[in-house]
Every structure is written in C-alpha cells, then in structure tokens.
Amino acid sequence: MSKETIAIACDHGGYQLKKELMEELADLGHKILDLGTDSDESVDYPDYGYAVAKALMEGKATKGVLICGSGIGISIAANRYPEIRAALVHDALGAKLSRQHNHANVIVFGGRMIGPDLARDCLRIFLETETEGGRHERRVEKLTNPQ
Ligand code: RB5
C-alpha cells in the first residue's frame, strides 16, 4: 500500500474513535493531518466535515476520514462539495465497494454506531482498495458534474 497523507477530523461524538483510527493510520505508516476536534466537548460537526473537504480540495491530503456520532451529519457536510465523495461505512464490504464503485475519497464512521476493531478493518480496506474504471468512471463523473 502506498503511503499517503490522510486528513482526519471528528466532532465530540467521534472523538474516541478518532484516537483509535489515528493509531491505525500511524501503524500503516501514513502521514496524518489531524484537523480536530481534540476533546469530548460539544462542537458543530459541519465545521469538521468542511475542514477535511477543504484539505482534500487544496491538495493537502489525498484521502480523508470523518467521524461524528452517527456519521450522518458529517457526511452531509463533506458531500456538499462536488469533488468530495464521502461514504458512510458500517462493514468491510461497504468499505471495499465505496472505493471500487464510488471512488470515495473520504470514509465516514458513526462513533456511536461501530466498534473500534471493525472501524479499523474498514479503514484499512478503504485505503488498500483501488478504484475501478469503465461504467464506474462514467457514473462518478456524473456525481462531479450534476445536471
Ligand atoms: C452530536 O450529538 C450528534 O448530533 C452528531 O455527532 C452527529 O451524530 C450528527 O449527525
């Protein structure tokens, strides 16, 4: 697996899981761009979704990881940018397909929905899996340019 810079952020609902996932990223040898939050104190998830989205769009990281309580709010935030394909993932197959079929560049977890071991597995699979071309390429292009 090639080594990348991975941007990661969470709100208070994702803070505990963010710590686990940062450990996983370090174990895998990736460079980490940690964009907060840094405690369990209540914050607003859109700020963190936008921070990772902007880091990718500015070329500061190649992929992103986002976590909030459910994973839903922070996905909605990140996906407001057409260049961002943030996939809320609950299992290994979803992690793989989010790359192969949807060319996801951000993986999202619900810190209150998934255990740390499964989330680590999903993250590793997401980072290891390449995108597939052909019909998937065409569909992803349509996501970038909504009509
Ligand atoms: C925060 O309590 C919670 O609403 C947030 O983490 C997330 O689940 C929103 O979608």
Side-chain angles (χ1 to χ4, degrees):
M1 192 194 321
S2 64
K3 303 303 171 197
E4 303 179 55
T5 299
I6 310 295
I8 187 166
C10 64
D11 75 353
H12 52 288
Y15 177 59
Q16 296 306 325
L17 184 57
K18 188 185 80 164
K19 290 191 282 186
E20 295 271 349
L21 296 179
M22 284 179 60
E23 245 180 60
E24 185 67 27
L25 289 172
D27 289 352
L28 294 170
H30 294 293
K31 208 167 151 202
I32 301 169
L33 179 61
D34 179 10
L35 298 171
T37 188
D38 300 315
S39 77
D40 293 312
E41 198 174 313
S42 181
V43 292
D44 298 334
Y45 60 80
D47 299 337
Y48 296 90
Y50 297 154
V52 163
K54 284 179 188 160
L56 264 64
M57 291 186 299
E58 289 166 5
K60 294 178 181 161
T62 46
K63 293 192 185 80
V65 182
L66 286 169
I67 317 116
C68 68
S70 63
I72 296 171
I74 212 159
S75 301
I76 293 172
N79 279 318
R80 296 183 72 78
Y81 297 93
E83 298 91 335
I84 301 301
R85 292 174 300 280
L88 175 55
V89 162
H90 303 284
D91 54 36
L93 181 58
K96 189 167 85 169
L97 291 174
S98 78
R99 290 286 300 150
Q100 290 177 333
H101 289 195
N102 313 113
H103 302 191
N105 49 12
V106 178
I107 189 167
V108 187
F109 297 103
R112 297 172 184 151
M113 320 289 276
I114 190 168
D117 292 346
L118 179 54
R120 277 177 178 248
D121 284 351
C122 291
L123 177 57
R124 211 173 40 251
I125 291 163
F126 173 80
L127 293 172
E128 279 169 359
T129 306
E130 295 301 329
T131 58
E132 288 182 354
R135 67 189 190 280
H136 302 304
E137 195 85 57
R138 183 180 72 240
R139 291 165 186 165
V140 169
E141 177 62 24
K142 289 185 179 184
L143 291 176
T144 311
N145 297 297
Q147 301 301 304

